Amino acid sequence: MFDMFEKEIAKSIAAASAGALDAGEVEAALEVPKDAKMGDLALPCFKFARTMRKAPPAIAGELAKALVPPDVVGRVEVAGGYLNFFFSEAALCRALAALAGRDWSVTAGEKEGEGRTVCIDFSSVNIAKPFHIGHLSTTVIGAALYRIFAYLGYTPVGINHLGDWGTQFGKLIVAVKKWSDIDEVREKDEYFLNSLYVRYHKEAESDPSLDDEARAWFKRIEDGDPEATAYFDVFKAVTMRAVGKIYDRLGVKFDSYAGESFYNDKMQPCLDLLEKKGLLTESDGAKVVRLDEWDMPPCLLVKADGATLYATRDIAAAYYRAKTYDFYKCLYVVAYQQNLHFKQLFKVLELMGFEKAADMEHIAFGMVSLEDGSMSTRSGRVVWLAEVLDKAVEKARQIIEEKNPAQEDKDAVAESVGVGAVVFSALWNNRIKDIVFSFDKVLNFDGETAPYVQYTHARCASALRKGGDFDLAAADMSAISSDEGIDVVKCLLSFEDAVRAAASSREPCYVTRYAVELAEKFNRFYIGHRIVSEDAGATNARLFLAFMVKNTLKTALSLIGIAAPESM
Ligand code: ARG
């Protein structure tokens, strides 16, 4: 939004320089000062000292004298070697008013992504394992990026690269045959399936023959044996039913569930190509691509017994995606523990001459643990995501009961608040930061949290219900253009900048932080100003502001996958 302001200011500076500077270079040099007292935009003139052969303060002074400021500028100040610009309040309000009639369905005005497909591999759950808290980040970060790219006009493709292949399926068949039966598995849930798996591992410690049986069963799955395949299908169905419920609660959808098993018949051509390019080396009967030159261990692609690996499937998947989607970028939202895997994968693809090797990106993120220390699958108790969501919803319900006993639809609001709080917690920081999850922290209505933003949204909704329709033509903009008000206006105008920053850095936290910032700024305004008063002009302007804040918060929340109840 401020691009327009920047362009006009740059043009006027270029004109004031009498040909010494061109508008493009001025625009590139303009920066947003850290301290708002130094203006909304500043031109650091030392950048031109050499070409203009003058001291920066002299340049700033001369430019200021010759400048005919465009009407987006309210005030210009020279401060040392800087030329500082303050936007005009009237121009800001006009720019905001121009957005009043916008379409609030989720798409930006200007579509940078038109004609560009972005594949986003996220969530990618493993069959027969319940959804644990470790899958929260990949799911909500991936889904947020999906919506953010869609908002900017890209065509996102959400891919759930299911972990649906490997020896664990042989183990599960053995476990089911020994301690349950297929009908029981079909009827019960993913936790039951998991308990069989856990029992298998315990018993296999003392009885290694189980592993031979498991291997034999997995071989039968590989060979397409009908009995083994029937088991496999049930495991998959039970898992998909369970994760489907979680995806519904999180509002997450996928365009493809092509997982590891999908690539069973698509790896050979890739292996042939690797062979042809002389990239495969034998190592104890296995086939690897050596990566010493790049300081990486070899990438193992075929085991001595002929079995393919995770990496082999990812190579086939890369070719498949390039051919099927002709993507602009292919993102993998996967924990940083797999850094090496993706570095190896991208390098092997590059060596193979895969055209899009440079367009593959590993979108890494940190770990989530609970305050009480529990979390990981390996080191102890696993925390299931459904339990975390349920507990957050229950706590939200209690808070609503206390704060607002008359609230309608308490269950629905509690679901939005509880789930929203959990989702938000994974989108608040830069991805790579580890998260220590605390129920009290994420549900704090006065903190940097989803409930805080949701509450502010509901506050706007309530003001609008009370005030009724507003008439922008009859609004007295001076009622929103002083101090706190103009901060809100500027923040509203920078919404799309935040979305673009989130997309280009693949960091949804830009949107999350924006939502909190806007909520904070609006609340500061709200404390000092009555929205609905006897002054009709002021009321119209303030209702308009509340309307813009409400819709912008709602849009921001929707991009990060959080519901915005009308009252709470
Ligand atoms: N299923 C894997 C896991 O849970 C993640 C898969 C990520 N996607 C990929 N194409 N490798 O660790």
Side-chain angles (χ1 to χ4, degrees), residues 121 124-126 135 161 163 310 314 321 332 334 338 341-342:
D121 178 323
S124 300
V125 286
N126 299 318
H135 284 116
H161 186 79
Y310 182 55
D314 261 332
R321 290 173 189 175
Y332 297 82
V334 183
Q338 293 193 28
H341 166 74
F342 285 104

Side-chain angles (χ1 to χ4, degrees), residues 288-300 340-341 343-345 347-348:
V288 306
V289 178
R290 304 212 60 126
L291 299 170
D292 315 53
E293 224 180 294
W294 297 275
D295 283 330
M296 285 189 267
C299 182
L300 178 58
L340 176 62
H341 166 74
K343 269 174 70 184
Q344 290 179 308
L345 173 66
K347 180 52 80 180
V348 171

